[in-house]
Amino acid sequence: MSVDVCEAPHCQLVCENSSFLDEENSLVSLVQQLHFNYKVSLLIPDCSSAPSHLDSVINSFSSFVLIKNMPVSEFIDKDFLETAVYPGSVCALSYRTRIGEDNCVALMPNGRLRLSLDRHSYHLLGIEGKVSKFRSKGRHIVSVDLTDSSMAPGGRGYDRLLSGLTCRLPLTSDFLLSHQQGVQSCLKSLLSRYDWSELRPEVSTKVLHQLTCPSDLGSCDAYSVMDWLGAVDAGISSSIGSSSSFLSTYTCPGPQRMATTALSISVSGFLLPHHVQILIMEVRQFLEQSSSPWASLTVHGFTDNVVSCCENEHGRLRGGVNFYTLLMSKGHDYKLLIVTGSHDSCSP
Amino acid sequence: MKGVSTQKKSTGYQRVVLKNSAPVLENESTRLSAVEFKQFIITGLKILYGEVGAALTFDVLKYDEDSRTAFLRVPSRGLVKLWSSLTLLGSYQDQACAFRILQVSPFLLALTGNSRELQLD
């Protein structure tokens, strides 16, 4: 029996052409459903500096905190439930835990606590869950709605989860936490008990000169667009140009033109979808007033995220790819490219 | 929503990019230029797969001489050949060496947003 060893990592690409004016477009729901964003990259050709209103939006991504060695049971602490979980808007993700290898935890703004556990930890916890769809080493997914009445402090479900997380499986991890109303004011008592640091998303701005770009990005096929955007983001563009070079034959796709300048901005950290939404609106407004023909915005999710969009399961395998690129042109039309790895049940 | 199209991976279009395939050399002071780096990989392909392997098309999209890290781009049908020859390349100019593959993806764009690179402390 022969085995096909030519298998490359599988990914799914979804392309959507739509309009911001279309009430049924899926962009808003997609942006809001992806809670755990790691990096946002923006590319605007024929632009050398961001106007002040766009600049202020880019710098307004809220700060987040890194809490060290925090027990997961803190998420069901009565005080934390009342100040952060019930009002909503708090997001937490275990940091430096590798999905598929370690136990990973995520808390979503809707109050759902999601744990991705190995077989041994799952049995110790004693809370009903589901076998991972990707069946990686007996992994189980436990999902608990902390806003459910059975999970109210004192309730049967609550007591069972509390004893599981404090006695049978006292899981601890470093966590990234973010809150729309500001972490410090909402989570004061929690932070007072642990070693923590407040962090600002890192903003990097580059002005690219003499950038060879496709003259009509919208007409290029999706794979070429993403290769080209990746090349620009990785700083490869300067060496592009010759199809006969010994080192690389990669060239800019389609009919080309030279953009005198291009603005490349990236923000990385623990980014909330709310700010991504504001940034999209601001870029649209900017495009209407500027000479730039289009802008691209790419949002990368965390590789080791437990959940993908629609609260489906996310795994890694060899890539853990989960990102989307939004190509906006003047007017209201846009092209959305959503990429997910083979271990991702996102179905936008 | 209008004009929605769903497109699954097509082998014909797929590109596989290996990011930061860094050779770890016994003598850290050894320097390789981009051309030498690519020639070294071609040699490895030739040793393992002969002339057919040496003819495999792949690109060195970006190379950093100091850290000896590179972005390699290869059609998906050549991924296993390239990966295996990198794994088995054990010496460079009589020095022990090894390649470390850091990330593999069909999308170059995916390699610029790896959250595992996030260093907060």
Side-chain angles (χ1 to χ4, degrees):
Chain A
M1 192 175 72
S2 66
V3 179
D4 182 13
V5 292
C6 296
E7 281 283 301
H10 284 209
C11 282
Q12 179 175 264
L13 168 66
V14 177
C15 309
E16 178 186 308
N17 291 303
S18 189
S19 164
F20 287 104
L21 299 180
D22 191 332
E23 288 175 3
E24 289 178 15
N25 79 59
S26 61
L27 178 65
V28 176
S29 65
L30 176 79
V31 173
Q32 287 172 351
Q33 280 169 15
L34 292 169
H35 306 297
F36 305 101
N37 303 304
Y38 159 61
K39 184 180 172 186
V40 174
S41 305
L42 179 66
L43 179 68
I44 310 174
D46 304 306
C47 174
S48 55
S49 64
S52 57
H53 55 97
L54 185 59
D55 201 46
S56 63
V57 169
I58 287 160
N59 288 295
S60 69
F61 277 85
S62 20
S63 55
F64 55 97
V65 291
L66 169 64
I67 307 184
K68 296 204 171 162
N69 290 320
M70 189 183 87
V72 179
S73 58
E74 284 290 359
F75 289 135
I76 55 170
D77 174 73
K78 197 179 167 192
D79 187 41
F80 183 80
L81 286 172
E82 281 167 6
T83 55
V85 177
Y86 297 152
S89 307
V90 69
C91 267
L93 185 67
S94 51
Y95 174 60
R96 279 195 185 150
T97 51
R98 297 188 162 210
I99 193 122
E101 297 171 40
D102 306 320
N103 292 325
C104 298
V105 182
L107 178 66
M108 289 174 273
N110 60 6
R112 277 195 179 275
L113 181 67
R114 184 74 63 96
L115 300 105
S116 172
L117 304 171
D118 59 48
R119 191 200 308 260
H120 180 65
S121 304
Y122 173 70
H123 289 306
L124 280 177
L125 181 66
I127 302 289
E128 195 180 340
K130 287 179 183 170
V131 178
S132 164
K133 281 184 183 173
F134 312 117
R135 299 187 182 278
S136 49
K137 296 173 191 167
R139 187 152 286 273
H140 283 71
I141 307 296
V142 175
S143 186
V144 183
D145 184 0
L146 299 180
T147 60
D148 190 83
S149 56
S150 67
M151 291 308 296
R156 223 173 130 187
Y158 177 86
D159 288 342
R160 188 166 176 77
L161 182 62
L162 185 66
S163 64
L165 290 173
T166 50
C167 306
R168 298 188 296 274
L169 183 69
L171 270 182
T172 57
S173 175
D174 292 352
F175 280 95
L176 297 175
L177 257 112
S178 192
H179 196 292
Q180 250 183 45
Q181 273 82 48
V183 181
Q184 284 209 51
S185 53
C186 298
L187 307 173
K188 223 178 243 176
S189 66
L190 174 76
L191 297 178
S192 65
R193 298 196 289 274
Y194 297 96
D195 182 14
W196 64 280
S197 50
E198 186 172 16
L199 302 153
R200 293 278 319 153
E202 196 181 309
V203 179
S204 154
T205 306
K206 281 185 285 185
V207 179
L208 310 170
H209 298 279
Q210 303 299 327
L211 179 71
T212 310
C213 55
S215 51
D216 184 9
L217 201 66
S219 66
C220 294
D221 75 88
Y223 283 90
S224 303
V225 169
M226 279 189 292
D227 266 0
W228 183 74
L229 289 172
V232 175
D233 208 15
I236 293 166
S237 56
S238 56
S239 57
I240 291 172
S242 167
S243 59
S244 58
S245 159
F246 171 69
L247 285 177
S248 172
T249 54
Y250 179 69
T251 53
C252 176
Q256 301 163 8
R257 72 177 184 91
M258 188 71 81
T260 321
T261 54
L263 186 65
S264 170
I265 300 172
S266 70
V267 186
S268 52
F270 189 48
L271 314 173
L272 292 175
H274 162 73
H275 291 102
V276 176
Q277 189 69 51
I278 295 172
L279 181 59
I280 291 172
M281 283 158 56
E282 207 56 54
V283 173
R284 279 186 65 199
Q285 204 179 339
F286 167 76
L287 277 178
E288 291 308 315
Q289 297 157 359
S290 78
S291 60
S292 304
W294 55 265
S296 86
L297 185 106
T298 302
V299 181
H300 295 269
F302 274 84
T303 304
D304 297 297
N305 188 359
V306 183
V307 283
S308 65
C309 63
C310 309
E311 296 187 20
N312 284 319
E313 188 184 343
H314 173 75
R316 186 173 190 274
L317 189 62
R318 274 181 286 177
V321 180
N322 62 333
F323 69 90
Y324 59 89
T325 295
L326 180 65
L327 297 172
M328 293 170 273
S329 49
K330 283 186 185 294
H332 305 290
D333 292 344
Y334 70 81
K335 187 173 186 174
L336 179 64
L337 308 168
I338 308 161
V339 177
T340 50
S342 56
H343 276 197
D344 193 306
S345 355
C346 180
S347 51
Chain B
M1 190 162 63
K2 57 187 177 185
V4 179
S5 67
T6 305
Q7 199 180 355
K8 273 207 158 186
K9 176 212 67 138
S10 155
T11 312
Y13 283 112
Q14 193 176 30
R15 295 281 185 277
V16 175
V17 181
L18 292 93
K19 180 190 183 185
N20 295 349
S21 55
V24 182
L25 287 163
E26 209 172 28
N27 182 356
E28 285 293 313
S29 62
T30 305
R31 289 185 78 84
L32 276 93
S33 69
V35 172
E36 286 167 334
F37 179 81
K38 183 162 184 182
Q39 192 56 52
F40 180 41
I41 297 172
I42 293 172
T43 309
L45 281 161
K46 194 173 177 181
I47 292 167
L48 195 59
Y49 296 104
E51 293 297 338
V52 175
L56 178 72
T57 315
F58 73 95
D59 297 320
V60 178
L61 293 176
K62 189 181 180 182
Y63 174 71
D64 180 51
E65 246 180 67
D66 295 327
S67 59
R68 293 190 296 271
T69 58
F71 281 69
L72 304 183
R73 177 173 173 262
V74 64
S76 55
R77 66 179 179 281
L79 173 69
V80 173
K81 274 198 181 76
L82 181 65
W83 200 331
S84 51
S85 65
L86 290 176
T87 306
L88 295 171
L89 260 178
S91 67
Y92 177 73
Q93 293 179 348
D94 298 327
Q95 288 177 58
C97 84
F99 276 86
R100 190 180 296 140
I101 310 292
L102 299 179
Q103 203 182 345
V104 181
S105 173
F107 298 98
L108 182 53
L109 193 52
L111 304 185
T112 61
N114 181 4
S115 60
R116 287 188 175 179
E117 289 172 359
L118 183 67
Q119 296 294 332
L120 297 173
D121 45 9

